[in-house]
Structure formats: structure tokens, C-alpha cells
């Protein structure tokens, strides 16, 4: 909590002590996850809103710890970010995503564009551009077939600094998208200056839009804003046919969510593509 001193009164409860222990446990196990081969990537399809044709896949990190079993990204990514481990893990994700795209290509699937999530710490540590350039070169990956997703809050936290990092990334020729858009209070001034290609509407708006007119209005406003700035707009978390229809009517460009496909292991992607191909 950001409420300052008062919250400290509640800090040292047995409950918090347990949570702190769990956190330390996760952090120490995570430290060995790469060398023990416990990390993997799942891939979730993203489709064209008009035709439902495949646009690309998003790489989503999975951790199955030998001792702890599967741990969800919402649990371990924040820990990896706070401990700094996300820099090494993120480099592993980038290399693995590029290797997987090359493997699909070698299986005759053609080029499947891949989106990769990148954390604030990776963006700021200065190695990201080099790591990405090397991984693409090592696997013969076309930069235009890689998309980097950065959350809106990450970018706006240090907007001036982010601008420099984004330009360096963009100079590689990759696509850039702002993730969880609508939750991070973007300055429109920066939005216009960032060298970005896409906005990804946060799934909380998509989830509530059928029942809540405010959320529907926000979704439409984001699509309008994105198109005015010359950006493509993606909706994530699309779970129902009704949501897909509403997003299509709102001129959203791309859709992602359980309705079209869950995150799946890479070996399932070829079958998924064959099923949806006309
Ligand atoms: P995200 O980037 O917003 O990814 C989308 C999340 O929504 C994924 O959760 C995905 O499984 C889930 N999702 C997709 N479609 C639907 C749907 O229709 N309904 C619902 N309810 N959920 C849906 P996941 O895989 O648990 O990842 C959670 C978050 O962890 C990601 O959110 C991202 O912020 C982070 N993350 C995952 N992989 C990486 C990574 O390699 N690097 C970094 N830095 N962060 C990652
Ligand atoms: Ca994402
Ligand atoms: Ca998101
Ligand atoms: Ca709401």
C-alpha cells in the first residue's frame, strides 16, 4: 500500500510473516528454474477481428517447479521483477520465443509472428536491445515478425526514459505494443511521441463491457484514439461471441482470448492453425 506510515502498524502479523516466507521460498526456487529446465512458454493465438485469421501468437511464461508444482505468472513475475531475476528470465523468454518461431518455420508453418512481454526492469537495464538483436540473428528471425508488449504503467512511470529505450528497440525493426491499455493514465502527449504500433485494451474493460456502459464507452474511445494516432487496436480477454461481435462493431482490429484459443504448448499450435485455416 502507498498509504505510508499507518499501514506499517499492520505489517508484522503472523499472516504477513507467512506470506513473506512463501515469497522468499518462491524467489530461491525461481533462482534455479532456468538451469533446472522448469520454465516453458505457452502461446495464445491472436486473430483478425474481421476474418478470425491468425495474426500471431503471444508467448506466455510458465513455471513448473519440481518442488512447488506449477506456479502462476501473476504470482512469480512480480517476485522476479522485485528481485531482478526478470532480467535473466526475460532474456531466456526472448531466446526461447525466437527459437520456437524458427522451429515452426522449419516444420513448414511459415512465419508465425510472436509477441513477447517485457518488464520495466528489462526495458531500463540497457541490455534488452542487444539481447533481442542477438536472439533474432541466431535463429534467422525477421524483426518485423516480433512484437514487444510493454505495459502502459511501465512506459508512463518514466516516460522520458522510456522514449529513448523504445526508439532503440524500434530501430531493430520490431513491432511495439502497449499492453493493459486504459489502466495506466497515459499522457496523450507521450502516446503521440512513442514509436508504437498497437494498443492492447486491458481485459478488464472487455470483461465488463456487456454490462457496464462506461466500459463499453471506454473501449470505443480507445479504438477511436488508437485509430486517430494511426495505431492498430487489439482487445484481449475475449471470452464470448457477444463480446467478439461488439468489438468487431466497434472496429477493433484484432482479438485475443479464450473464445479463439487458450494459451497452449507450442506443439499444439500447428493443429490450431490447420483447424482455423479456410
Ligand atoms: P498479459 O500480458 O496481459 O497476458 C494475458 C493474460 O490473460 C495471460 O495470463 C492469459 O492467459 C490471460 N488470458 C488470455 N485470454 C484470456 C481470456 O479470455 N480470459 C481471461 N480471464 N484471461 C485470459 P497469464 O499467462 O497468467 O499471464 C499473466 C501475466 O503475466 C501476463 O499478462 C503478463 O503480464 C505476465 N507475463 C506472462 N509471461 C510473461 C513474460 O514472459 N514476461 C513478462 N515480463 N511477463 C509475463
Ligand atoms: Ca501481454
Ligand atoms: Ca494485458
Ligand atoms: Ca467496470
Amino acid at each position: 500500500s502507498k498509504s505510508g506510515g499507518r499501514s506499517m502498524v499492520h505489517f508484522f502479523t503472523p499472516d504477513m510473516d507467512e506470506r513473506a516466507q512463501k515469497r522468499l521460498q518462491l524467489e530461491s526456487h525461481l533462482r534455479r528454474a532456468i538451469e533446472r529446465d522448469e520454465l516453458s512458454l505457452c502461446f495464445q493465438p491472436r486473430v483478425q477481428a474481421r476474418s478470425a485469421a491468425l495474426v500471431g501468437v503471444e508467448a506466455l511464461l510458465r513455471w513448473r517447479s519440481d518442488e512447488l508444482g506449477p506456479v502462476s505468472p501473476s504470482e512469480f513475475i512480480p517476485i522476479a521483477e522485485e528481485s531482478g531475476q526478470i532480467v535473466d528470465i526475460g532474456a531466456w523468454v526472448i531466446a526461447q520465443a525466437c527459437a520456437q518461431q524458427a522451429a515452426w518455420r522449419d516444420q513448414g508453418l511459415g512465419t508465425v509472428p510472436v509477441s513477447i512481454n517485457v518488464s520495466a526492469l528489462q526495458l531500463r537495464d540497457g541490455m534488452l536491445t542487444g539481447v533481442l538483436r542477438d536472439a533474432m540473428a541466431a535463429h534467422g528471425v525477421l524483426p518485423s515478425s516480433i512484437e514487444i508488449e510493454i505495459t502502459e504503467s511501465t512506459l508512463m512511470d518514466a516516460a522520458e526514459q522510456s522514449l529513448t529505450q523504445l526508439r532503440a528497440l524500434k530501430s531493430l525493426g520490431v513491432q511495439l505494443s502497449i499492453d493493459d491499455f486504459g489502466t495506466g493514465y497515459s499522457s496523450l502527449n507521450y502516446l503521440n511521441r512513442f514509436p508504437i504500433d498497437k494498443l492492447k485494451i486491458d481485459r478488464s474493460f472487455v470483461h465488463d463491457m456487456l454490462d457496464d456502459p462506461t466500459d463499453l464507452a471506454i473501449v470505443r474511445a480507445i479504438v477511436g484514439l488508437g485509430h486517430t494516432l494511426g495505431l492498430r487496436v487489439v482487445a484481449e480477454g475475449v471470452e464470448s461471441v457477444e463480446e467478439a461481435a461488439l468489438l468487431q462493431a466497434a472496429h477493433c482490429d484484432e482479438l485475443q482470448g479464450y473464445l479463439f484459443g487458450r494459451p497452449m504448448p507450442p506443439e499444439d499450435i500447428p493443429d490450431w492453425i490447420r483447424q482455423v485455416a479456410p
Side-chain angles (χ1 to χ4, degrees):
S1 132
K2 289 177 183 160
S3 55
R6 283 179 62 94
S7 61
M8 294 302 285
V9 177
H10 305 289
F11 194 79
F12 294 103
T13 62
D15 195 39
M16 274 310 273
D17 199 44
E18 225 169 87
R19 262 187 278 170
Q21 295 246 338
K22 170 100 196 205
R23 203 182 173 79
L24 276 175
Q25 191 193 28
L26 284 178
E27 193 187 317
S28 79
H29 284 107
L30 192 54
R31 215 165 277 292
R32 297 187 298 259
I34 293 182
E35 64 192 52
R36 289 182 167 195
D37 209 19
E38 294 174 347
L39 298 179
S40 63
L41 293 181
C42 269
F43 296 86
Q44 184 179 34
R46 197 174 63 250
V47 303
Q48 208 77 256
R50 288 214 194 119
S51 64
L54 181 75
V55 180
V57 296
E58 177 175 2
L60 293 161
L61 188 57
R62 297 291 176 258
W63 177 28
R64 177 179 283 278
S65 158
D66 285 343
E67 287 95 349
L68 309 168
V71 186
S72 116
S74 54
E75 208 173 341
F76 73 81
I77 300 262
I79 294 175
E81 285 172 338
E82 274 175 42
S83 65
Q85 291 164 303
I86 195 67
V87 174
D88 287 342
I89 292 174
W92 181 89
V93 168
I94 288 169
Q96 191 61 30
C98 290
Q100 186 58 57
Q101 196 203 51
W104 283 323
R105 187 190 58 214
D106 294 345
Q107 290 165 31
L109 275 195
T111 298
V112 181
V114 178
S115 306
I116 301 170
N117 293 286
V118 159
S119 290
L121 209 61
Q122 286 175 273
L123 191 67
R124 309 237 156 96
D125 109 315
M127 304 293 280
L128 181 61
T129 306
V131 165
L132 184 57
R133 189 201 297 111
D134 292 349
M136 291 189 300
H139 298 285
V141 164
L142 273 174
S144 59
S145 71
I146 296 292
E147 182 174 302
I148 299 296
E149 299 192 1
I150 306 169
T151 64
E152 184 184 22
S153 51
T154 293
L155 290 179
M156 291 302 157
D157 265 359
E160 203 57 48
Q161 212 183 333
S162 298
L163 194 54
T164 311
Q165 315 284 10
L166 287 185
R167 285 188 182 135
L169 267 182
K170 190 65 202 170
S171 72
L172 297 176
V174 299
Q175 305 278 305
L176 297 180
S177 74
I178 303 190
D179 206 351
D180 302 346
F181 192 80
T183 61
Y185 310 101
S186 268
S187 147
L188 295 183
N189 175 41
Y190 276 111
L191 208 51
N192 194 28
R193 288 170 67 202
F194 285 152
I196 49 169
D197 305 285
K198 262 181 209 179
L199 300 179
K200 265 188 120 167
I201 304 173
D202 189 69
R203 72 168 185 269
S204 59
F205 300 111
V206 174
H207 183 258
D208 292 345
M209 127 197 114
L210 285 173
D211 304 317
D212 187 341
T214 310
D215 285 303
L216 181 57
I218 290 172
V219 166
R220 290 185 170 139
I222 294 175
V223 175
L225 172 68
H227 288 170
T228 301
L229 295 172
L231 308 173
R232 291 175 69 73
V233 182
V234 185
E236 64 179 5
V238 183
E239 293 182 356
S240 70
V241 175
E242 291 78 11
E243 287 166 351
L246 205 51
L247 290 160
Q248 199 181 22
H251 304 291
C252 203
D253 301 292
E254 298 172 13
L255 307 177
Q256 183 178 345
Y258 295 165
L259 177 65
F260 303 99
R262 297 214 165 221
M264 58 188 99
E267 57 272 19
D268 291 354
I269 287 289
D271 273 347
W272 188 92
I273 291 178
R274 272 178 222 119
Q275 271 167 26
V276 296

